[in-house]
């Protein structure tokens, strides 16, 4: 656990050194929730762009609930991990339900347990929103906090329970939101996975791992799997590509795109081959061979600006357009 002295040192450091981020300038729980969901799997610099877009398009939980899920996917376009957008839409609709129907009468709930009951909200997001937006004394645990804890206590492989116990015991009960953000900020800017600035660290005095931070926590080798796909882009006579909405589960669920095959044999080898697109997700590398079909009078094209596409499908269509009609 961090002592009271260390708590004060870390909060003072956070007050002076925190990055200026727009969701830290607001008390609006909805805007804070949007930032927490976006930042789960998106870097802060990219998250900023998408947060501003989402807050502009959906300034309130009611505005999102009143929109079709396709509009949410369209606004989310480019942010990746689209299941977050679909669950966010489901969350907004549940919040708008009347209490007797399992909802919250249009107000985002304020407690950890109530937040946790909403679609797409896990323990981290519930604790972050409860503490930052509503001042509830609950401790967050994320990758940054786990790393700080592992180094502070010199534990190579702390279990989730050990990390949570450390975070609970270290929490500053009077400023829980700032405290959680301060610990995460420390992990994101001072005590990072491959670089650490122990000399300027506000909690250096209590750190058992500062002699060799690289050992804590034990680095894991990421397992990157390769997925090979074959895309066939067909065009209508008006020049628009034929796009299909993908099923609501699985990869790129609910987004639009051309037909993908998982076996080369499914592709007519007389089609024009446009090239290969490589696309990197966090744990997966996708390689797509792109083929073009001649425009057909029977094909119905889709205006790509009116539907939500993944970044991969944007790349596939761009490559096809360079070779196709
Ligand atoms: S002293 Fe160094 S290793 Fe320890 S928490 Fe601070 S930056 Fe990380």
């Amino acid at each position: 656990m961090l002592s009271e002295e260390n708590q004060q040192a870390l909060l003072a450091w956070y007050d002076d050194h925190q990055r200026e981020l727009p969701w830290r300038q607001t008390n609006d729980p909805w805007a804070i929730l949007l930032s927490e969901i976006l930042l789960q799997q998106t870097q802060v610099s990219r998250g900023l762009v998408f947060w501003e877009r989402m807050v502009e398009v959906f300034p309130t939980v009611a505005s999102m609930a009143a929109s079709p899920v396709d509009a949410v996917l369209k606004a989310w376009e480019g942010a990746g991990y689209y299941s977050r957008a679909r669950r966010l839409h489901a969350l907004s609709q549940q919040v708008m339900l009347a209490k007797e129907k399992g909802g919250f009468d249009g107000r985002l709930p304020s407690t950890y347990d109530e937040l946790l009951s909403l679609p797409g909200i896990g323990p981290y997001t519930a604790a972050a929103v409860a503490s930052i937006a509503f001042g509830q004394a609950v401790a967050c645990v994320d990758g940054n906090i786990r790393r700080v804890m592992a180094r502070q206590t010199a534990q190579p492989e702390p279990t989730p329970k050990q990390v949570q116990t450390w975070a609970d015991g270290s929490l500053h009960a009077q400023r829980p939101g700032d405290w959680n953000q301060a610990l995460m900020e420390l992990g994101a800017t001072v005590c990072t996975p491959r670089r650490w600035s122990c000399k300027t660290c506000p909690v250096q005095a209590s750190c058992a791992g500062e002699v060799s931070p690289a050992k804590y926590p034990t680095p894991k080798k990421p397992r990157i799997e390769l997925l090979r796909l074959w895309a066939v882009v067909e065009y209508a006579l008006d020049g628009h590509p034929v796009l299909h909405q993908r099923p609501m589960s699985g990869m790129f669920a609910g987004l639009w795109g051309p037909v993908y095959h998982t076996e080369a044999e499914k592709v007519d080898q007389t089609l024009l081959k446009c090239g290969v697109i490589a696309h990197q997700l966090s744990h997966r590398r996708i390689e797509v061979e792109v083929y073009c079909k001649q425009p057909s009078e029977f094909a119905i094209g889709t205006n790509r600006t009116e539907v939500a596409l993944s970044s991969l499908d944007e790349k596939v269509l761009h490559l096809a357009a360079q070779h196709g009609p």
Side-chain angles (χ1 to χ4, degrees):
M1 318 296 161
L2 287 174
S3 65
E4 201 180 322
E5 200 177 314
N6 277 308
Q7 283 180 329
Q8 297 303 343
L10 182 57
L11 282 173
W13 169 84
Y14 179 68
D15 290 341
D16 287 345
H17 294 88
Q18 63 177 280
R19 290 167 292 178
E20 276 189 29
L21 299 170
W23 46 83
R24 288 181 177 162
Q25 319 299 324
T26 177
N27 294 323
D28 178 5
W30 173 243
I32 292 168
L33 174 79
L34 286 176
S35 73
E36 289 300 335
I37 290 183
L38 266 166
L39 294 178
Q40 281 167 15
Q41 279 138 327
T42 305
Q43 288 176 339
V44 169
S45 54
R46 293 190 70 231
L48 260 172
V49 176
F50 293 107
W51 181 82
E52 278 166 2
R53 186 197 293 175
M54 294 301 288
V55 169
E56 190 184 334
V57 180
F58 304 110
T60 60
V61 65
S63 62
M64 181 174 286
S67 303
V69 68
D70 281 351
V72 181
L73 288 167
K74 185 65 185 161
W76 198 270
E77 197 174 56
Y81 295 98
Y82 294 89
S83 56
R84 291 179 295 173
R86 286 194 309 280
R87 288 200 287 258
L88 190 56
H89 182 253
L91 175 155
S92 69
Q93 296 201 316
Q94 187 171 333
V95 169
M96 294 310 294
L97 286 178
K99 276 235 164 76
E100 56 270 24
K101 292 187 174 167
F104 294 92
D105 289 339
R107 289 174 69 88
L108 208 58
S110 60
T111 68
Y112 174 86
D113 289 337
E114 288 171 323
L115 286 159
L116 196 58
S117 73
L118 292 169
I121 302 285
Y124 165 77
T125 311
V129 175
S131 62
I132 298 168
F134 298 107
Q136 195 186 354
V138 282
C140 288
V141 167
D142 75 341
N144 282 319
I145 291 179
R146 179 175 186 268
R147 183 171 56 261
V148 171
M149 177 271 181
R151 289 176 179 168
Q152 280 284 316
T153 58
Q155 289 193 64
E157 292 186 24
T159 64
K161 192 161 179 239
Q162 287 172 322
V163 182
Q164 188 69 56
T165 302
W166 181 87
D168 290 344
S170 301
L171 184 70
H172 189 285
Q174 283 72 46
R175 294 179 61 189
D178 286 342
W179 174 257
N180 284 326
Q181 291 185 90
L183 263 185
M184 290 189 274
E185 190 84 344
L186 187 76
T189 61
V190 173
C191 191
T192 71
R194 277 176 283 282
R195 292 197 357 214
W196 38 84
S197 314
C198 300
K199 285 194 182 129
T200 60
C201 177
V203 286
Q204 183 191 18
S206 60
C207 189
E210 63 144 341
V211 184
S212 45
K215 285 172 45 187
Y216 312 109
T218 306
K220 283 191 187 134
K221 276 197 182 159
R223 264 189 42 231
I224 304 282
E225 77 180 58
L226 173 65
L227 175 65
R228 298 194 67 196
L229 296 169
W230 289 262
V232 176
V233 182
E234 190 178 358
Y235 290 94
L237 291 179
D238 62 6
H240 287 310
V242 177
L243 303 176
H244 306 272
Q245 188 169 27
R246 304 196 194 288
M248 284 297 169
S249 60
M251 193 170 68
F252 304 137
L255 301 186
W256 292 67
V259 169
Y260 283 177
H261 298 288
T262 51
E263 296 164 27
E265 293 71 34
K266 295 265 172 71
V267 177
D268 176 354
Q269 291 301 316
T270 63
L271 295 177
L272 174 69
K273 182 175 174 182
C274 306
V276 178
I277 295 287
H279 189 72
Q280 191 70 47
L281 300 177
S282 60
H283 293 96
R284 183 182 266 186
R285 178 181 166 81
I286 304 177
E287 288 180 3
V288 187
E289 268 182 40
V290 182
Y291 292 81
C292 260
K293 242 184 183 176
Q294 283 302 310
S296 152
E297 63 178 301
F298 302 110
I300 300 172
T302 302
N303 186 340
R304 55 192 281 184
T305 63
E306 292 175 0
V307 293
L309 300 171
S310 68
S311 309
L312 173 61
D313 285 310
E314 289 278 8
K315 288 189 210 168
V316 166
L317 290 179
H318 182 70
L319 179 64
Q322 290 175 332
H323 296 78

